[in-house]
Amino acid sequence: MNNKNIDLKAPIGGLGASRRSFLKSSALAGGGMLLSFSWFAKAQAAQNMPALPEQWAELNGYLKITPDNVIKILCPNPEFGQNVMTSLPMMVAEELDADWKNVVVEMGPHDNVKLGPQFTGGSNSVKMYWKPLRNAGASARQMLIEAAAQTWGVSASEITTKAGVLSHSSGKSAKYGEMASKAATAAVPKEVKLKAPKDFSIVSHSKKNAEGLKVVTGQPLFGMDYKVDGMLIAMIQHPPAFGMKLKSFDAAAAKKMPGIKDVFSFKLYDDGFEQSGFDTRTFNEMIVVVGKTTWEVMNARKKLIVQWEPAGDLKETMMGRAGKKEVTVPGRLETTSSQFELMAEYAKKPAQQLRKDGDPEAAFKNAAQVIERTYNAPFLAHNCMEPMNFFAHVQDDKALVAGPLQAPSWVEPTLAKILNLPADKIEIQMTRMGGGFGRRAYGSYVYEAARISQKLKAPVKLIYTREDDMSYGIYRPMYTATYRAALDADKNLIGFHVKGGGIPENPVHANRFPAGAVDNYLAEGWEIPSNVTIGAFRAPRSNFNAAAEQSFLDEVAEAMGKDPIQLRLDLLKRAKENPVGKNNDYDAGRYAGVLELLRDKSGWGKPENAGKKRGVAAYFCHNSYAGHVVDMVMRDGQPYVERVTSAVDCGVVVNPDAAKNMVEGAVVDGIGNAFYGALTHKDGVAEQRNFHNYRMIRHNEAPQKIEVHFVQNEIDPTGLGEPPFPPVFGAVANALFKTTGKRYYNQPFMKNGANEGQKL
């Protein structure tokens, strides 16, 4: 448990007061009310803070109401642009019956015991906090009602609330702030009734980004903004190629450069260190240059004279869900063309069976027609707009670290180990992230900053350049997959086979559609070890799976003489009414609902759209369903996505405008990666190191219109950050076929400078 936190009144960069003193003083000063809630352990109102229990299962929210009726809601999860700083507090405010105009939102401190998981990723933020945060708001509302009932001498059942005001049939009324002090002494109710979705007045109604004004006016929100007096700047020189390590270096010239304080080498992990699942790091021994300013450090780093040598095969100990295991990291210098050749060889070998229904071997043997296609995709770099950075101030008995981080609770145990400090002596402050989508779930850059600060005994901010970030790893893996479909003489689909692999993981989700919809089904997977480090990339594995699967289904539909949407609906009908197997991880009804909405809103198959070059794809991942119809034209001799119609089922939509923005962003992101995204290597060296040769989508290449529609239901929210992204790839590929008459099997679909990713 972390016993320190950000002083929420202090400007960013302040060292902060202790959480306990902050909570207590805030509650008592001015007679306000500060509430913290848990539904798995008893909690006390802030005015009784000395009796606050030490162990909490989940924090359902921190809520402060001041006498002047200002309501402060702490957001538990870090923000990287998906707008959780607005949507999560909206859920508290809804059940509180607050006036949203009076709500002030603040980022909560790191405390996973009281604030819950505090992990932004996996499209889980809204999903995992949906009930806890609503319970927090509802319990606060009930405590305010009890306070008013006691004050007015009436029954609590006779009091109503609306927009931050308590009212009684006698005509008595009071703002929440007037009852806050008394309510703070009340016991937290054990059970509360939550609103039905039809009664929502804040949730499901669009609210402006709570931090929008701060973002556009350049207020210090991001890790790159973080600074304290006396802070030094550090940059790392890592090996130039995967498979290399440090041999020796001469820093004499670098140390003579203006503003330079020190140059030294360091190891991130000590020998024998047991890594947890997200302790991924690319190079263990590096050189660091430390100085007064970023410019001075960058220039000094250029003066280093370094000798590198082959790293050889390395053995590492990893701790995972299955326990401890020894992993061998190969030492070869890898080249993209050779990697694709190696994957093609592995694809021909026997693979691990992941799922088997019926007798697929017999189905293919007896088929009247077999359709077989292979799809490939390269490494992708995250390219967060804010390059990796982190602040650390490590002292003998405590440590403060601060910066952009998706999973503070995953970082804390490793920090405690490498710094040899108790976890309660490590304070983690979370800033807004300038992009994440998986990259900032891996804490190696945090540990590097901490190691450097510990060595120097000074506050340090570590900064990566764009070139550092793109050549340092944690990429989306390389993937390949071969799909086969067996048709009988009547063009019925009687067999389906997917065999996928990759470097260094396979992409196959064996229990996803069309598993469960085909009598004879086989899924297999294989993997090739590599020293190129990989990690979660928006919708891991699904971002490739959807591209390949949805492209293939279009070819199957064509061979069967069926409309692409109708084929999918027919298969989903089978999966719903008479499913094959019991492990299908999708809801066929919800999946079909998205396709039906998409067909309706896009006018798919309507005579007026007959001349349009269109592609469709739909996919399930991260508990939600999304689909797109892409309208493509040729513009200046190049294919251009002119319009996109999107349909999504993610359950209750908390903030419609923000949700629409997220889908729009996923569409643009998907188009850019499908057309241009590729990170290639030659002899272990990243060939793309900045945006001059790592092609990103440009403003004038974004669609003219993206029309977003949501399935209306009362299902609890099931996630939105990732699900709209994967099907974009397949829809673009299918639209390309309609536009160019060619099928595209290799990403990226458009050539990009030195990138040779396209092979038609």
Side-chain angles (χ1 to χ4, degrees), residues 227-239:
K227 60 183 178 181
V228 300
D229 292 340
M231 183 181 77
L232 298 173
I233 300 295
M235 285 187 171
I236 285 172
Q237 183 67 51
H238 63 71

Side-chain angles (χ1 to χ4, degrees), residues 294-408:
T294 305
W295 181 247
E296 289 172 326
V297 172
M298 289 177 68
N299 285 321
R301 191 171 62 164
K302 296 175 183 177
K303 298 293 183 180
L304 290 172
I305 300 173
V306 189
Q307 289 187 311
W308 311 98
E309 63 181 351
D313 291 355
L314 300 175
K315 290 189 181 296
E316 297 188 331
T317 304
M318 304 291 296
M319 290 296 295
R321 293 179 180 177
K324 185 190 303 185
K325 65 176 181 179
E326 296 293 326
V327 176
T328 299
V329 180
R332 61 180 178 268
L333 302 180
E334 302 185 27
T335 296
T336 297
S337 58
S338 300
Q339 289 170 322
F340 275 120
E341 291 171 2
L342 187 60
M343 288 201 300
E345 292 177 14
Y346 268 69
K348 298 174 184 177
K349 300 177 180 180
Q352 179 186 3
Q353 181 177 298
L354 304 175
R355 172 169 171 160
K356 183 178 180 180
D357 296 325
D359 190 347
E361 293 84 0
F364 280 95
K365 181 179 179 180
N366 299 322
Q369 181 181 359
V370 173
I371 307 163
E372 180 174 327
R373 302 290 184 267
T374 297
Y375 302 84
N376 297 298
F379 288 116
L380 293 178
H382 286 82
N383 285 326
C384 305
M385 288 297 98
E386 176 193 23
M388 309 307 290
N389 69 91
F390 224 80
F391 169 86
H393 189 190
V394 180
Q395 302 177 62
D396 291 340
D397 59 346
K398 61 182 179 179
L400 165 69
V401 296
L405 183 63
Q406 286 183 232

Side-chain angles (χ1 to χ4, degrees), residues 254-512:
K255 288 181 176 180
K256 293 177 182 178
M257 294 289 285
I260 299 306
K261 295 295 184 181
D262 203 354
V263 181
F264 56 89
S265 63
F266 73 101
K267 285 186 176 182
L268 183 59
Y269 300 141
D270 295 330
D271 294 342
F273 182 83
E274 293 183 358
Q275 298 179 44
S276 66
F278 280 77
D279 286 344
T280 303
R281 61 99 181 89
T282 303
F283 305 104
N284 196 50
E285 187 173 12
M286 296 154 284
I287 306 165
V288 62
V289 180
V290 184
K292 293 181 179 179
T293 68
T294 305
W295 181 247
E296 289 172 326
V297 172
M298 289 177 68
N299 285 321
R301 191 171 62 164
K302 296 175 183 177
K303 298 293 183 180
L304 290 172
I305 300 173
V306 189
Q307 289 187 311
W308 311 98
E309 63 181 351
D313 291 355
L314 300 175
K315 290 189 181 296
E316 297 188 331
T317 304
M318 304 291 296
M319 290 296 295
R321 293 179 180 177
K324 185 190 303 185
K325 65 176 181 179
E326 296 293 326
V327 176
T328 299
V329 180
R332 61 180 178 268
L333 302 180
E334 302 185 27
T335 296
T336 297
S337 58
S338 300
Q339 289 170 322
F340 275 120
E341 291 171 2
L342 187 60
M343 288 201 300
E345 292 177 14
Y346 268 69
K348 298 174 184 177
K349 300 177 180 180
Q352 179 186 3
Q353 181 177 298
L354 304 175
R355 172 169 171 160
K356 183 178 180 180
D357 296 325
D359 190 347
E361 293 84 0
F364 280 95
K365 181 179 179 180
N366 299 322
Q369 181 181 359
V370 173
I371 307 163
E372 180 174 327
R373 302 290 184 267
T374 297
Y375 302 84
N376 297 298
F379 288 116
L380 293 178
H382 286 82
N383 285 326
C384 305
M385 288 297 98
E386 176 193 23
M388 309 307 290
N389 69 91
F390 224 80
F391 169 86
H393 189 190
V394 180
Q395 302 177 62
D396 291 340
D397 59 346
K398 61 182 179 179
L400 165 69
V401 296
L405 183 63
Q406 286 183 232
S409 300
W410 297 354
V411 164
E412 186 182 67
T414 299
L415 271 177
K417 284 197 292 184
I418 67 173
L419 297 178
N420 195 26
L421 284 173
D424 63 1
K425 297 298 182 182
I426 298 174
E427 179 180 351
I428 301 175
Q429 294 186 6
M430 293 172 289
T431 64
R432 188 181 181 92
M433 293 175 271
F437 291 112
R439 176 63 183 92
R440 299 191 201 273
Y442 301 85
S444 59
Y445 62 109
V446 183
Y447 313 145
E448 289 166 353
R451 283 284 204 194
I452 295 166
S453 175
Q454 187 177 48
K455 163 83 173 175
L456 294 172
K457 300 185 183 298
V460 171
K461 182 193 285 185
L462 171 67
I463 297 175
Y464 284 22
T465 64
R466 178 65 59 195
E467 291 83 358
D468 293 335
D469 192 24
M470 289 182 66
S471 60
Y472 202 75
I474 317 294
Y475 307 127
R476 197 283 301 270
M478 294 180 71
Y479 290 129
T480 186
T482 297
Y483 283 77
R484 295 195 302 149
L487 306 183
D488 66 15
D490 295 322
K491 301 292 186 181
N492 296 311
L493 179 62
I494 59 172
F496 196 92
H497 176 205
V498 55
K499 184 178 181 181
I503 299 175
E505 70 172 16
N506 85 70
V508 179
H509 290 281
N511 297 320
R512 292 203 181 154

